Amino acid sequence: MTSDTSTPAAARASARPSAWSPLRQPVFRALWFAQFASNVGSWMQTVGAQWLLIAKGAALLSLVQVAAGLPVLILALPAGVLADLVDRRRLLLGVQGGMAAVAAVLTVLAFAGHLGPWTLLALTFLLGCGGALNGPAWQALQPTLVPRDQLRPASALGAVNQNVARAVGPALGGLLVAAAGVGWTFALNTVSFAGILVVLARWRPVRSAPRPGQEREQAVAALRAGTRYVSHSPRVRRILLRSALFVPGAAALWALIPLTAHQTLHMGSAGYGLLLAAVGFGAVGGAWALPRVAGHLGGDWTLALSNVLFAAALLAVDYVADAVVAFVALVIAGTAWIWALSTLNAALQLGLPAWVRARAVAFYLLVFQGGMAIGALVWGLVAQWAGLSAALVSAAVLLVAGAATVRVLPLRDRQLDTDAGVTWPEPRLELEPAPTDGPVMVTVEYLVPEENAEAFRRAMARLERTRRRTGATTWGLYRDPEQPDRYQETFTVRSWAEHMAQHHERYTGSDQEAEADARALAERTPEVRHALMQHL
């Protein structure tokens, strides 16, 4: 009996983009390969830096990860604001050039023999600052490089990029340290920035023209707007929470794998590089399997499985002091790592409108990279004072506990319409406000029959979130006791320019749907009024 490939399920399966389809996009492909070269260089340098400090103890060794990740805690939010306000391509060019310069200084000091532990950590911190400024802009570019239905495989390919580099870079770095010395790992990292700089310099993205009269957001106002969006977006908040339930436990692997190679498995730098390479091999296989795994399990259970597999890998590395077992366990860890990262990244990107994308990504990076930095420091201290085994087992327990919460704290990864909605009608004004005038009070009057009252209140609860996400600082729904079918929605916005942004670039298809649901329950088109605060 032959199968009927014309069924809806078969049609959806055939329409699903492959794991590699984003590489058909020329700019995405060029940036992907350039980033791969840069990531290989970064991992070679990480091996060199960690090997310089491996004899200094677990606490100092873990500071390499802390120095690389801590700048995110300081710079992620300002970097997100910057990436939403300026030309992202030029921002990336400047940041990548600065990182190349820092890497060059590191190289010169290493070859001159003047690279002490604290100098190394300070320069690693500066490179981390570049990475923190780079992250929001880089991730915010991705949805502009591939079609929307390819965001999930594009996110997976981004993780594959890092993890294949993790397979190649540490192995090359370990061999290079053994054959020629640490300085050459820093030198090759300096050269690795060239590809990204060339691709970005040649790329000329198409930019949309600003709306007539559109005011450029100021930095402080933009930061407030981004914070307000995240605080009133249940989807983004849940993604941040699920990240926090995975990252700190997973950080133990990156912080402590040098000690495992050195103390437990008695490996040299080349063996340590091969252990990290195992993670990369697992990531490649995980990316290939991810579309099918996520299709069968969904985002929540893919994350739960990732936590459990990563925990099992940590326990295997701890309890079985065998190089082959460790290699297999780290392949599994690499698979779990890419499943978790790709699921979280795709869920975030699919739910963000363009106007706030980099700022919301900055909050995600703050949780993710900050969790890595703090986790690395904590596990390094635990290993220093309680032993390596205690640190690995504690991290595994934390990961399993995170997996157990998936039923009560689901991811909420339903796809949202983040394209621009049909804008609100322009207000008819006798007096034209200045962009900075405000606060603005907007009042919307609805007539709702009693039989629709309960459904209307539920619809307005959803509409409140869209008003607050797009700029409202206060919001309220009032019912007239003299005319019970008369409701007034009232909200305030800081300035006229920000309210006009609500009318235009901040208004998405999901916002339009929420407003349409509420208006459909009213008897007639609501009446809208605007009022500006008068400063006496």
Side-chain angles (χ1 to χ4, degrees):
M1 184 172 65
T2 59
S3 60
D4 181 6
T5 58
S6 64
T7 63
R12 285 194 301 270
S14 64
R16 184 183 299 160
S18 74
W20 316 109
S21 55
L23 290 175
R24 299 191 188 105
Q25 310 299 323
V27 177
F28 180 89
R29 182 173 62 249
L31 284 173
W32 193 91
F33 282 107
Q35 187 187 27
F36 174 72
S38 181
N39 285 335
V40 168
S42 296
W43 277 106
M44 292 177 70
Q45 175 174 297
T46 297
V47 170
Q50 289 181 326
W51 209 252
L52 275 179
L53 299 178
I54 199 164
K56 306 293 185 181
L60 190 60
L61 178 63
S62 68
L63 288 180
V64 174
Q65 291 288 343
V66 175
L70 188 61
V72 176
L73 296 176
I74 305 168
L75 296 175
L77 297 184
V81 171
L82 192 63
D84 273 334
L85 296 186
V86 304
D87 185 310
R88 289 170 185 160
R89 186 187 71 92
R90 293 182 179 177
L91 173 62
L92 289 170
L93 275 169
V95 171
Q96 292 287 322
M99 293 173 72
V102 173
V105 172
L106 194 58
T107 302
V108 170
L109 291 177
F111 280 118
H114 298 308
L115 189 60
W118 295 107
T119 303
L120 171 62
L121 290 172
L123 291 171
T124 302
F125 179 82
L126 286 179
L127 286 172
C129 290
L133 291 170
N134 181 82
W138 191 270
Q139 290 210 30
L141 276 183
Q142 188 164 276
T144 69
L145 302 177
V146 298
R148 185 176 177 80
D149 66 341
Q150 293 181 12
L151 273 178
R152 191 180 295 276
S155 180
L157 282 172
V160 165
N161 193 309
Q162 288 200 3
N163 286 281
V164 173
R166 184 178 283 121
V168 176
L172 291 177
L175 291 172
L176 199 57
V177 169
V182 168
W184 284 102
T185 63
F186 302 147
L188 289 180
N189 182 48
T190 303
V191 175
S192 72
F193 288 98
I196 289 179
L197 290 170
V198 169
V199 174
L200 287 174
R202 296 181 61 185
W203 179 37
R204 293 293 182 269
V206 177
R207 300 182 183 89
S208 56
R211 157 177 60 86
Q214 180 177 347
E215 288 289 311
R216 181 175 177 177
E217 283 186 282
Q218 300 301 308
V220 174
L223 179 58
R224 281 199 302 259
T227 304
R228 189 166 51 239
Y229 181 91
V230 170
S231 65
H232 293 288
S233 174
R235 177 196 182 97
V236 175
R237 294 201 311 269
R238 187 57 57 82
I239 292 169
L240 299 182
L241 177 59
R242 294 308 318 178
S243 300
L245 292 171
F246 175 76
V247 172
L253 180 69
W254 312 121
L256 301 178
I257 192 172
L259 282 180
T260 301
H262 185 62
Q263 294 182 3
T264 305
L265 301 175
H266 308 292
M267 291 179 166
S269 62
Y272 165 53
L274 288 174
L275 284 184
L276 282 182
V279 182
F281 296 144
V284 174
W288 176 77
L290 179 61
R292 280 167 289 181
V293 172
H296 283 91
L297 297 181
D300 291 318
W301 292 108
T302 299
L303 275 181
L305 180 59
S306 300
N307 277 51
V308 171
L309 288 176
F310 210 100
L314 291 179
L315 294 175
V317 168
D318 178 49
Y319 282 105
V320 185
D322 180 83
V324 174
V325 172
F327 190 89
V328 173
L330 292 177
V331 169
I332 294 171
T335 300
W337 178 259
I338 200 168
W339 286 356
L341 261 66
S342 300
T343 300
L344 292 167
N345 287 347
L348 184 70
Q349 296 283 7
L350 286 168
L352 292 177
W355 70 271
V356 77
R357 184 175 290 130
R359 279 165 279 183
V361 166
F363 278 93
Y364 171 72
L365 292 176
L366 182 66
V367 172
F368 200 98
Q369 299 292 345
M372 288 288 288
I374 294 171
L377 177 61
V378 169
W379 300 126
L381 292 173
V382 172
Q384 181 83 23
W385 300 110
L388 180 59
S389 180
L392 292 173
V393 171
S394 299
V397 170
L398 189 63
L399 284 164
V400 172
T405 65
V406 72
R407 280 190 177 273
V408 293
L409 298 170
L411 190 59
R412 292 185 174 178
D413 60 347
R414 181 178 67 89
Q415 186 164 323
L416 300 178
D417 181 2
T418 58
D419 293 334
V422 177
T423 57
W424 298 353
E426 290 286 341
R428 297 177 181 177
L429 307 173
E430 294 292 331
L431 174 67
E432 186 65 33
T436 56
D437 284 351
V440 182
M441 182 175 69
V442 183
T443 304
V444 187
E445 184 177 299
Y446 304 84
L447 289 179
V448 181
E450 181 59 33
E451 61 269 20
N452 292 347
E454 184 59 33
F456 177 74
R457 285 191 287 270
R458 288 196 301 269
M460 292 302 291
R462 180 186 172 197
L463 185 58
E464 176 191 2
R465 290 194 292 271
T466 76
R467 302 288 200 220
R468 290 186 181 273
R469 281 198 300 267
T470 56
T473 55
T474 66
W475 186 93
L477 180 66
Y478 302 87
R479 189 177 189 182
D480 188 341
E482 296 181 3
Q483 187 180 346
D485 64 344
R486 182 172 173 265
Y487 291 80
Q488 278 196 337
E489 175 198 11
T490 301
F491 60 94
T492 56
V493 188
R494 286 184 179 273
S495 69
W496 185 253
E498 197 157 9
H499 180 55
M500 286 296 96
Q502 282 187 310
H503 274 260
H504 297 282
E505 54 270 15
R506 295 185 183 178
Y507 193 60
T508 68
S510 291
D511 298 328
Q512 182 181 341
E513 179 186 325
E515 188 164 23
D517 288 346
R519 291 188 172 208
L521 297 166
E523 290 184 338
R524 55 178 172 79
T525 302
E527 296 180 11
V528 183
R529 295 183 178 86
H530 300 79
L532 293 167
M533 177 176 283
Q534 298 298 293
H535 300 280
L536 304 177

